[in-house]
Amino acid sequence: QVQLVQSGAEVKKPGASVTVSCKVSGYSLTELSMHWVRQAPGKGLEWMGGFDPEDGEAVYAESLQGRVTMTEDTSTDTAYMQLSSLRSEDTAVYFCTRGMPFDFWGQGTLITVSS
Amino acid sequence: DINLTQSPSSLSTSVGDRVTITCQASQDISTYLNWYQQKPGKAPRLLIYDASTLETGVPSRFSGSGSGTDFIFTIDSLQPEDIAIYYCQHYENVPYTFGQGTRLDI
């Protein structure tokens, strides 16, 4: 069955970078686009970016442009999301999800940014 | 960017109630709209896609309708396990924004 398994929680200092991984099984990364969604504590869902199924290129939310990089390793069926220059407002649970629509989700990874 | 406005933001309900949530898009998105359910500490769950298609395994008491800019999500006969936050999301173009969510309480 389809599963998306994310890496564990991390605590980072402001200005640092973080990489979250998402290992998929039950299907291949080449079959469907991977996207990333985050949720700050007590807040709603924010689409961060994902891969355009037309050309396979990553597209990002404008608010994160220049700080976020999404990549895929199709040999291991693992997707990665790197966020740099971390700020306190980046504290959130980060989800990987395949889509569209977003029918399967990772379990979420809590990233805490604190000095 | 396309804005999605959900209404109401919260709703006090009772078991057996019929629940209706609306989602209004800031521009025409045809039927490129999904609905998700999220329970505390869990990932969202896809319920409805393409505005009105029920995802496999989702109970038939959930339904969706609409096109263009106005959409409706309905739960017929609310069950205790339906207490959650519900989000609409469009995919007409990037960014694939979500509505702000509707919290159901008993």
Side-chain angles (χ1 to χ4, degrees), chain A residues 35 37 39 43-47 59 62 95 100-103 105-106, chain B residues 34 36 38 42-44 46 49 55 87 89 91 94-96 98 100:
Chain A
H35 295 256
V37 173
Q39 186 169 38
K43 302 297 185 183
L45 301 170
E46 178 188 12
W47 177 82
V59 288
E62 195 169 332
F95 295 100
M100 181 66 71
F102 296 160
D103 59 352
W105 295 67
Chain B
N34 306 320
Y36 300 87
Q38 188 180 31
K42 299 292 187 183
L46 175 67
Y49 62 94
E55 170 70 344
Y87 295 92
Q89 178 210 23
Y91 57 103
V94 294
Y96 300 142
F98 291 86
Q100 81 277 18

Side-chain angles (χ1 to χ4, degrees), chain A residues 8-93:
Chain A
E10 300 201 50
V11 179
K12 293 290 185 180
K13 293 194 181 304
S17 297
V18 69
T19 298
V20 180
S21 66
C22 176
K23 166 78 173 165
V24 310
S25 58
Y27 80 106
S28 170
L29 271 183
T30 58
E31 296 176 35
L32 280 170
S33 302
M34 183 66 76
H35 295 256
W36 293 84
V37 173
R38 70 178 180 178
Q39 186 169 38
K43 302 297 185 183
L45 301 170
E46 178 188 12
W47 177 82
M48 300 177 65
F51 286 86
D52 186 333
E54 298 290 321
D55 59 15
E57 295 295 313
V59 288
Y60 306 123
E62 195 169 332
S63 62
L64 296 171
Q65 283 281 0
R67 293 203 299 134
V68 66
T69 304
M70 295 173 187
T71 56
E72 295 181 339
D73 182 345
T74 54
S75 68
T76 61
D77 275 329
T78 304
Y80 299 91
M81 186 283 300
Q82 180 182 57
L83 189 60
S84 61
S85 302
L86 289 168
R87 312 158 182 165
S88 57
E89 51 266 39
D90 293 320
T91 293
V93 175

Side-chain angles (χ1 to χ4, degrees), chain B residues 12-47:
Chain B
S12 185
T13 60
S14 299
V15 173
D17 279 357
R18 180 183 174 94
V19 171
T20 298
I21 300 169
T22 65
C23 179
Q24 185 169 58
S26 58
Q27 65 188 71
D28 189 336
I29 57 170
S30 183
T31 58
Y32 297 133
L33 188 97
N34 306 320
W35 290 94
Y36 300 87
Q37 174 194 68
Q38 188 180 31
K39 297 182 178 180
K42 299 292 187 183
R45 174 194 181 193
L46 175 67
L47 300 179

Side-chain angles (χ1 to χ4, degrees), chain B residues 36-100:
Chain B
Y36 300 87
Q37 174 194 68
Q38 188 180 31
K39 297 182 178 180
K42 299 292 187 183
R45 174 194 181 193
L46 175 67
L47 300 179
I48 304 282
Y49 62 94
D50 292 346
S52 61
T53 304
L54 196 66
E55 170 70 344
T56 302
V58 174
S60 58
R61 64 180 180 273
F62 296 97
S63 64
S65 64
S67 66
T69 61
D70 295 297
F71 301 85
I72 295 173
F73 173 80
T74 301
I75 309 174
D76 284 325
S77 190
L78 186 83
Q79 299 301 300
E81 61 267 30
D82 300 336
I83 296 305
I85 300 176
Y86 292 84
Y87 295 92
C88 57
Q89 178 210 23
H90 84 87
Y91 57 103
E92 206 284 332
N93 55 26
V94 294
Y96 300 142
T97 50
F98 291 86
Q100 81 277 18

